[in-house]
Amino acid sequence: MTEFAEIPNLRHLRMVQVIGKMGGVSCASRELSTSQPAVTQAVANLEAEIGTPIFERCATGTYPTVTGKQYLLRIDRFFEILDNALAHAMGRLGDAPDRMPKVERLMTGTQLRALIVTCEQGRVREIAHSLGLSPASLFRSARSLEHALGKPLFDRTAQGPIPNRTGNFLAREFRRAVREIEMARGEILLAAGAESLEVVIGAMPMAGSYELAEATRTFMSAYPSVKVRLVSAEYDKLLADLTHSRIDMIFGILRKPEWADDVSEEVLFKDSYCLVARPGHPLTLLEEATPEELARYEWVVPTRGTPRRTRIEAIFEGVETRPRFNLETPSLMMSRAVLLTSDTVTLMTRSEVQYDIDRGILAQLPSTLLDNVLLKGVTTRSDWLPTRAHNAFLDCLRQTTAKVNRDPTEGRVRMKLVS
């Protein structure tokens, strides 16, 4: 299941939620002012969809199974996210819950999905094609949600409808809610030993590919049915993907902005920078690679504004002659290829380059310029409820990084596994 897949019937989800809270089909039917057969059919439909019973029926009532309890927890989170999002968008945050219209009476799962898709700037046509729909039908469905909410969600432009601030906000919250349903289904499949959910990790450049690769290998040995998807991008893009629930976590340098109060960070290890070039580079023959000497060579640098680029630029503060930084790329593989085939120089994190240094593939330049310690770890959404699989992946990351013996105060890293 993906964020663009068919979303379960919202009325059926609400019926199942109310049964879980009230302990019976008849109580739920009275609470929702609907017939008992309709409620019973809703439960049957959802149980058929997920492939396992949600409730046990007995003489004293209807009670959730062990699996059902976890499923109901996700449904509660699903509706809580939607309720809060709609109250915010409709300017009714202060209203009592019983005065707010029910989510399932305001919109359908089709409208919910349509808004998510139509707010994917530049991808609407591609996604619509994958769903077997036309972009026009998706926009019609999203616009019908505008009428239901009484709030404009798009600005009309010469290029077509563009989501406004409210539209983008609701799309982000809807995506968060859908991720709860996706993980609910994944948890059930995982418990049954079937193909289950995917764990999506955003990896920053210079995050520590050794640690991430080792943790992923260990995890996949223990959870062969879980799909792991690694997404590589710069921090700002990954942070946006994290807050929009496109990814589950970020691995790399911890650099949460002050305004990002909806994400949390966990330190896993300390890292540092080093200057590198090809073996036999003229600078390797010096006792000290000074800024003046470093400025004589071409550099391959990451994009402006990244921590590594900022640290490179700081090397040449106050130096009369500065390198031009004409070769810019965020790609570690491209940087490595350039270093191996020229006298170009760059700065990398020790965890990323130590393997190549130890094997003589790259050379570390003699320098006392770099003394700063980098904190690396994982960033997640503050309100995130990980599945068993996600927790297991985090444990693999923690164990792997704990085994790597680092001593940043001595300016070196030893990629040695401690038994």
Side-chain angles (χ1 to χ4, degrees), residues 119-184:
C119 287
E120 288 287 327
Q121 294 281 334
R123 297 187 59 209
V124 178
R125 187 172 299 278
E126 168 204 341
I127 298 167
H129 178 73
S130 71
L131 296 174
L133 302 170
S134 69
S137 68
L138 288 169
F139 277 110
R140 280 196 301 271
S141 184
R143 284 196 291 270
S144 70
L145 181 58
E146 281 186 314
H147 297 308
L149 300 181
K151 291 285 183 179
L153 305 178
F154 297 88
D155 294 330
R156 274 63 183 176
T157 71
Q159 291 74 39
I162 304 295
N164 60 21
R165 185 175 180 179
T166 302
N168 279 317
F169 165 76
L170 284 179
R172 184 191 73 184
E173 296 304 293
F174 288 0
R175 196 178 287 107
R176 287 179 56 217
V178 170
R179 183 60 176 154
E180 293 296 331
I181 298 299
E182 181 176 319
M183 291 201 292

Side-chain angles (χ1 to χ4, degrees), residues 88-143:
H88 186 279
M90 298 170 70
R92 301 180 62 172
L93 279 174
D95 285 8
D98 58 353
R99 297 188 60 189
M100 274 293 296
K102 296 294 185 183
V103 167
E104 66 275 16
R105 295 178 181 174
L106 282 173
M107 65 182 183
T108 65
T110 299
Q111 291 172 318
L112 189 156
R113 181 180 66 170
L115 183 63
I116 294 174
V117 174
T118 51
C119 287
E120 288 287 327
Q121 294 281 334
R123 297 187 59 209
V124 178
R125 187 172 299 278
E126 168 204 341
I127 298 167
H129 178 73
S130 71
L131 296 174
L133 302 170
S134 69
S137 68
L138 288 169
F139 277 110
R140 280 196 301 271
S141 184
R143 284 196 291 270

Side-chain angles (χ1 to χ4, degrees), residues 207-325:
S209 57
Y210 174 88
E211 290 87 348
L212 185 55
E214 182 67 14
T216 301
R217 183 192 64 77
T218 303
F219 171 79
M220 295 188 73
S221 296
Y223 289 83
S225 68
V226 177
K227 179 180 177 181
V228 177
R229 181 155 57 95
L230 303 176
V231 179
S232 181
E234 295 289 348
Y235 180 79
D236 290 344
K237 171 66 165 61
L238 292 178
L239 183 61
D241 284 347
L242 179 68
T243 57
H244 285 76
S245 300
R246 296 187 185 98
I247 63 176
D248 299 318
M249 66 189 81
I250 301 172
F251 177 67
I253 297 174
L254 301 180
R255 45 179 292 202
K256 181 179 79 168
E258 290 186 6
W259 52 263
D261 55 5
D262 56 345
V263 299
S264 302
E265 296 180 331
E266 178 184 349
V267 178
L268 294 181
F269 65 98
K270 294 179 180 180
D271 205 349
S272 59
Y273 289 124
C274 62
L275 296 167
V276 291
R278 65 169 178 81
H281 191 287
L283 289 177
T284 62
L285 305 176
L286 302 179
E287 290 187 5
E288 171 74 12
T290 65
E292 290 77 11
E293 291 287 350
L294 290 166
R296 293 174 53 211
Y297 293 89
E298 293 291 333
W299 280 69
V300 55
V301 295
T303 48
R304 190 180 295 275
T306 59
R308 189 161 61 98
R309 175 67 174 268
T310 300
R311 188 64 189 86
I312 290 172
E313 292 173 347
I315 293 173
F316 301 100
E317 288 179 0
V319 178
E320 184 175 344
T321 303
R322 301 168 63 92
R324 292 191 300 272
F325 300 148

Side-chain angles (χ1 to χ4, degrees), residues 398-409:
R398 294 178 185 117
Q399 292 164 12
T400 298
T401 53
K403 288 178 180 178
V404 178
N405 182 16
R406 290 178 176 78
D407 188 0
T409 61

